Amino acid sequence: MVRAARAYLTPRYATGADQVLWDLIEHPLPDLDAIDAVLAASDRAQRGPGDQPQPMEVAAALVVLEAARLDMDQTEARLLDAAQASAMGWEQIAAILGLTVEEAKERHQQLKPRLDEPVAHVLPPRPHGQTHRPRAVTRTGDR
């Protein structure tokens, strides 16, 4: 569903290099760019020129948002695990996050189960040769 949402939004909103990447290798817009494009279209329509995004475009952006949220939740859980492994105490972690110790621990407990959710389709594929943000852990084995 995430892949389909990206494929739906990209030809509608990609410009410049993103449009070329879509046309050549069907590389989708980065998730946050796709979401921002739908929001920008809505903002323009509310100010006057332009049409509101179609309901299907907004729905696709919501699907992409959930994928981005999963990616960020998994990243945060992994960072919290790394903080603990590097001997940071909950007091330090909580102070960095602007939370109480109890809130920081609760947040970690809420995020940990998200690590077991499938990640194969969370991040869009990268163009050939691009190596930013490598994954340290692959849960599904197809990345």
Side-chain angles (χ1 to χ4, degrees):
M1 189 159 62
V2 174
R3 201 178 274 166
R6 289 179 180 133
Y8 185 79
L9 292 173
T10 300
R12 286 163 175 75
Y13 290 102
T15 60
D18 289 319
Q19 184 176 5
V20 171
L21 284 170
W22 178 256
D23 291 344
L24 291 175
I25 60 172
E26 293 190 357
H27 183 271
L29 276 169
D31 289 348
L32 296 181
D33 291 349
I35 294 163
D36 285 345
V38 172
L39 291 172
S42 180
D43 290 346
R44 281 191 306 275
Q46 290 176 20
R47 287 192 309 267
D51 296 327
Q52 275 292 346
Q54 296 296 313
M56 187 62 107
E57 293 170 351
V58 176
L62 287 168
V63 169
V64 171
L65 175 65
E66 186 53 33
R69 180 177 289 123
L70 173 61
D71 183 43
M72 291 306 297
D73 286 352
Q74 289 178 336
T75 299
E76 184 176 356
R78 291 174 45 227
L79 276 171
L80 291 171
D81 288 343
Q84 289 180 300
S86 70
M88 287 179 68
W90 279 111
E91 295 79 16
Q92 292 171 303
I93 295 168
I96 291 167
L97 296 176
L99 303 171
T100 67
V101 171
E102 205 48 48
E103 290 169 334
K105 288 179 178 179
E106 183 178 316
R107 185 168 176 156
H108 186 238
Q109 288 305 311
Q110 290 172 343
L111 293 173
K112 279 185 78 127
R114 299 220 69 190
L115 287 170
D116 295 327
E117 294 183 31
V119 297
H121 303 295
V122 174
L123 294 176
R126 295 185 180 91
H128 180 70
Q130 190 175 352
T131 60
H132 70 285
R133 283 192 56 199
R135 286 283 191 187
V137 178
T138 302
R139 298 266 184 247
T140 60
D142 58 358
R143 251 206 280 190

